[in-house]
Amino acid sequence: MTADTISRDVADRNSDRNSDQNQEKIVRYTFVERVSHWLGAFSYIYVMITGLAFWSPYLYWLAAIVGGGAIARSWHPWVGLLFAASFFWTFREWRGDMSITDADLAWGKAIPDYIENEDEKLPPVGRFNYGQKLFFWGIFYGVILLLLTGILLWYTETIPWSLHWLRFVAILIHSSVALATIGLFLIHVYMSAVLEEGSFGSMITGYVTRAWAWTFHRTWYYDVTGRSQLKPKQ
Ligand code: HEM
């Protein structure tokens, strides 16, 4: 079911109300949430490009896009810090909406319906769905590991020789966690910017349509609009 079909459905069921209300937009992301998200996104893209350039000689050409190897090497840790700081800022904004509930686990069980694009069969979810929450927590723990190992690699000459094995552990963790977050990042961009029509615009303007909210985050829609839970028309 598309957001348009549901939009008509919602409009039908609320015909006793002023129909203009159905077109009203709902605030999904505040200005602060959008700024912290895009700061995190752009800084992540920079550390991803430079990190991949250091990771494999086959990808070293990527460094040329961002000013060459030497610049990439000196900026990577600083932009990494900016990325961590902006993600922790995002974390502060969203952690209250990201705890995993029983409703999320029920949604998780219905993932085959989600994959087959049968959204109407999915149990209603709050502001974020189970997949979004798993992504958020995956990035959260990823950032902590990247930060700790990154700082170790930044000041590698200060590690005493008796602990030199720490460098190898740090390299292994830093690169594997970075690859895992790149996997999560690609899934995230595809799901939020391509698959869910209307999502990308919400991270730009801050608004979604009522139809979008009802379709993808029904419990949240009822919470923010204060409307009673209407059963979908059979
Ligand atoms: C070009 C890169 C990116 C694009 C186009 C993008 C796009 C979006 C969009 C459209 C949403 C809103 C989704 C919705 O409300 O349904 C969103 C949410 C979110 N973004 Fe991004 N994003 C990008 C990069 C990142 C990065 C690098 C991170 C963190 C490392 C991140 C973390 C999040 C989180 C935690 C959410 C809330 C949960 C979710 O929707 O998954 N984003 N993003």
Side-chain angles (χ1 to χ4, degrees):
M1 193 181 284
T2 64
D4 276 351
T5 331
I6 291 171
S7 170
R8 283 195 300 275
D9 205 26
V10 170
D12 267 6
R13 278 181 283 112
N14 292 292
S15 52
D16 56 325
R17 303 176 77 119
N18 178 353
S19 66
D20 281 350
Q21 272 188 326
N22 295 310
Q23 302 311 318
E24 262 174 37
K25 300 234 171 172
I26 301 175
V27 175
R28 177 144 176 88
Y29 296 115
T30 63
F31 180 69
V32 166
E33 288 172 324
R34 283 175 283 143
V35 170
S36 72
H37 175 268
W38 288 118
L39 205 56
F42 286 114
S43 51
Y44 182 83
I45 291 170
Y46 182 86
V47 283
M48 176 178 71
I49 291 175
T50 49
L52 286 173
F54 308 147
W55 180 62
S56 161
Y58 295 108
L59 295 173
Y60 191 66
W61 57 270
L62 282 171
I65 307 175
V66 286
I71 292 184
R73 170 59 188 87
S74 51
W75 281 53
H76 178 90
W78 289 107
V79 182
L81 284 185
L82 176 66
F83 165 63
S86 43
F87 187 77
F88 289 134
W89 185 16
T90 300
F91 178 81
R92 224 190 65 172
E93 295 295 317
W94 289 347
R95 101 189 123 170
D97 291 316
M98 289 293 182
S99 41
I100 292 170
T101 61
D102 288 346
D104 294 320
L105 300 179
W107 191 92
K109 286 198 185 120
I111 271 188
D113 294 326
Y114 181 75
I115 293 169
E116 284 168 25
N117 217 10
E118 296 189 328
D119 294 323
E120 70 281 5
K121 291 191 187 161
L122 290 166
V125 282
R127 189 179 183 200
F128 297 109
N129 66 35
Y130 189 43
Q132 290 173 307
K133 290 180 181 181
L134 290 181
F135 168 71
F136 176 85
W137 289 108
I139 295 291
F140 174 71
Y141 291 110
V143 171
I144 291 176
L145 289 172
L146 288 169
L147 193 60
L148 293 176
T149 52
I151 290 172
L152 218 54
L153 293 171
W154 204 355
Y155 292 100
T156 191
E157 70 285 356
T158 62
I159 301 174
W161 182 247
S162 57
L163 294 175
H164 72 284
W165 53 270
L166 259 181
R167 274 190 248 173
F168 304 121
V169 174
I171 291 170
L172 185 69
I173 297 179
H174 199 75
S175 43
S176 359
V177 172
L179 290 177
T181 64
I182 291 172
L184 290 178
F185 166 75
L186 294 176
I187 297 172
H188 170 65
V189 172
Y190 176 68
M191 303 285 288
S192 55
V194 181
L195 211 61
E196 251 179 39
E197 205 187 315
S199 278
F200 187 75
S202 72
M203 205 33 106
I204 305 280
T205 63
Y207 291 95
V208 287
T209 59
R210 282 168 181 263
W212 186 96
W214 193 89
T215 308
F216 299 115
H217 300 275
R218 204 165 307 156
T219 310
W220 174 73
Y221 167 81
Y222 291 127
D223 283 350
V224 291
T225 56
R227 288 192 168 192
S228 57
Q229 304 231 0
L230 296 158
K231 287 224 168 70
K233 206 161 66 175
Q234 299 302 315

